[in-house]
Amino acid sequence: MSGWLDVHAHYVTTRYRGECVAAGHVRPDGMPGLPGWSVDAALDVMSRTGVRAAVLSVSSPGVHFGDDALGANAAARALAAHVNDFGAQLVSDRPATFGFAAALPLTDVDGALAELARAGDDLGADAVALLTNYHGRYLTDQAFAPVLEELDARAAVVLLHPTSPPDWQATAFGRPRPMVEFLFDTTRCVLDLILTGTLTRHPSIRWIVPHAGAVLPVVAHRVAAISAATGPMVDVPGALATLYYDVAGLPLPVALDALVKVVSSDHLLYGSDFPFTPAPAVAALAHALDGDPAARTADFTLAPGSAGASLFPRLTRG
């Protein structure tokens, strides 16, 4: 596992935790709570799994917590600035070890554009982290078009991350949303990007889809076939093959095999999901990947020609 790049790793600041709790996210997405995180803990799990560098991001529920009538836009702008400044400082302290993906305060489009420019131009963000939906509005929402256009103009790397879907109360049956709902929301978001032509209109964005593609490999051919009922058939498998995928979560024993039937191994990246996946589980899953035939066809390092080197060239110089 020596020299791997981790593209699905999170950080949790004290202020971020406090603002999540104040906004009612004591048990975010139905989980027991936000996990503890520190630089030392991150470095320890990286050492135990042979990870050379990690691109850090803020997970669900993101930084925008509610209705702007209650001042949520201003609060979201401030919180996004805080977590991005924190991420940039981590990179400044350890430039060969950490990268960071900037959080944006959607649904505040003006705030998101301003923070995207600041994070990219002033902070040197390596990527941008986007949630699959923002208060029930998916990334194809016309209001978000200026943000996607700017991401395309910047040829940005976008780390996609699931969050609770709209009306989750009716679908999760009281269970934590990461159990099932996260996978379906990732699938819903990516299929919507494909079927609306949004992916085609923004060809320079480099998307990284989490959790071994969620349910996408299983439904891709079915969606393509049924798309013909309302118009020309959409080549969903072909579109999926252009995206990148991390293998965070539980890609074994089934999900990774399904993914590599649709996507070439040079589009696979390692992901730990630390600290939301506890350190012992991260180590066990990494060792299992290291011995898996399908995973071994992928290059999870920053070596020349790897997906990691293509997407995160700054880290190759570490």
Side-chain angles (χ1 to χ4, degrees):
M1 298 180 290
S2 178
W4 283 8
L5 170 69
D6 183 355
V7 302
H8 191 143
H10 300 299
Y11 62 108
V12 182
T13 74
T14 300
R15 174 175 168 181
Y16 180 72
R17 180 189 304 278
E19 294 202 22
C20 281
V21 171
H25 294 282
V26 178
R27 300 181 69 245
D29 301 301
M31 296 297 283
L34 287 168
W37 182 88
S38 69
V39 171
D40 287 345
L43 293 174
D44 178 67
V45 76
M46 290 168 68
S47 175
R48 292 165 59 184
T49 53
V51 168
R52 168 182 159 185
V55 181
L56 302 175
S57 61
V58 170
S59 186
S60 176
V63 296
H64 198 301
F65 298 138
D67 189 338
D68 188 45
L70 302 177
N73 280 0
R77 291 187 188 196
L79 186 55
H82 159 69
V83 297
N84 292 338
D85 287 344
F86 190 96
Q89 187 61 53
L90 291 171
V91 173
S92 179
D93 292 343
R94 294 176 173 82
T97 303
F98 291 131
F100 92 99
L104 301 183
L106 285 171
T107 54
D108 172 14
V109 173
D110 289 341
L113 288 170
E115 187 60 20
L116 174 58
R118 191 182 79 92
D121 298 339
D122 300 338
L123 301 183
D126 298 282
V128 172
L130 292 181
L131 297 175
T132 47
N133 81 81
Y134 289 83
H135 309 299
R137 297 166 64 187
Y138 286 85
L139 298 180
T140 56
D141 190 302
Q142 188 56 39
F144 299 158
V147 177
L148 293 183
E149 289 166 5
E150 182 63 18
L151 290 168
D152 188 66
R154 291 173 175 269
V157 176
V158 173
L159 308 185
L160 191 64
H161 197 283
T163 190
S164 293
D167 300 319
W168 58 263
Q169 298 90 337
T171 59
F173 305 122
R175 302 183 181 101
R177 276 81 80 190
M179 181 185 292
V180 173
E181 301 306 313
F182 272 24
L183 299 177
F184 285 111
D185 212 56
T186 294
T187 301
R188 183 179 298 111
C189 175
V190 174
L191 288 176
D192 193 38
L193 289 169
I194 295 170
L195 294 173
T196 59
T198 304
L199 206 65
T200 304
R201 288 193 297 275
H202 302 96
S204 296
I205 300 176
R206 279 86 57 80
W207 299 88
I208 300 179
V209 181
H211 303 131
V215 190
L216 289 162
V218 177
V219 301
H221 293 85
R222 174 184 176 90
V223 173
I226 294 178
S227 72
T230 55
M233 180 180 289
V234 178
D235 182 10
V236 177
L240 294 179
T242 68
L243 308 178
Y244 293 88
Y245 299 82
D246 75 51
V247 295
L250 291 165
L252 303 176
V254 174
L256 183 57
D257 284 344
L259 180 60
V260 297
K261 291 183 182 298
V262 180
V263 176
S264 62
S265 60
D266 61 358
H267 276 228
L268 302 183
L269 298 136
Y270 172 68
S272 69
D273 208 2
F274 180 78
F276 290 84
T277 297
V282 169
L285 290 166
H287 281 89
L289 281 169
D290 195 41
D292 181 76
R296 289 180 70 87
T297 65
D299 185 350
F300 293 143
T301 73
L302 284 160
S306 67
S310 172
L311 297 173
F312 300 100
R314 182 189 65 78
L315 289 169
T316 66
R317 300 189 289 272

